[in-house]
Amino acid sequence: MKTVLFAACLTLMAAEAQAISRYDPSRMSCGTVRATIAREGAVILRYQSTRTLGLPLYDRYVRSQSFCNMGEVRERASVPSADTNSCIVYKCKRVETDRHFRRRIFPD
């Protein structure tokens, strides 16, 4: 019985950790988009491409660097919102390393 209870607790914790809200920023004002990210810490914003008709775009946008994985940095980005075409938000981006420099210091 203890094993079943322990497994149930782990399942609930995993479900909470993977929950992330999804929003359409084109139906929200820029202030609301930014307030939503600030409140939740990390959200997925999904919107239509302005260059390719019918192409949905989405990414994960974050409040601070602490929501990025190791090896990533917070980078400025913009998404369209109901009141502006360029609402400034932040997303995580993997840091690119210079492989040529790395080979000279750490030869294979």
Side-chain angles (χ1 to χ4, degrees):
M1 185 66 181
K2 287 182 182 180
T3 307
V4 173
L5 184 61
F6 181 71
C9 289
L10 286 178
T11 303
L12 288 174
M13 288 182 355
E16 287 180 21
Q18 292 184 2
I20 185 166
S21 300
R22 292 164 177 83
Y23 297 98
D24 182 358
S26 62
R27 296 174 189 251
M28 305 162 69
S29 69
C30 183
T32 305
V33 170
R34 295 177 66 154
T36 301
I37 295 170
R39 182 181 67 246
E40 296 191 24
V43 299
I44 293 176
L45 299 179
R46 185 175 187 265
Y47 53 94
Q48 295 294 318
S49 170
T50 55
R51 288 187 270 173
T52 306
L53 194 62
L55 177 68
L57 300 176
Y58 62 92
D59 209 340
R60 181 174 172 264
Y61 297 90
V62 297
R63 171 178 57 208
S64 68
Q65 178 73 37
S66 64
F67 288 91
C68 296
N69 294 324
M70 184 175 277
E72 293 180 334
V73 294
R74 188 175 82 146
E75 177 185 66
R76 188 175 170 171
S78 67
V79 295
S81 64
D83 58 347
T84 181
N85 290 333
S86 183
C87 181
I88 303 300
V89 291
Y90 295 92
K91 65 181 183 176
C92 297
K93 180 183 177 188
R94 179 149 311 275
V95 177
E96 297 295 327
T97 58
D98 185 1
R99 292 206 172 266
H100 181 69
F101 178 73
R102 184 179 167 95
R103 279 191 209 129
R104 285 186 284 162
I105 294 179
F106 305 110
D108 293 330

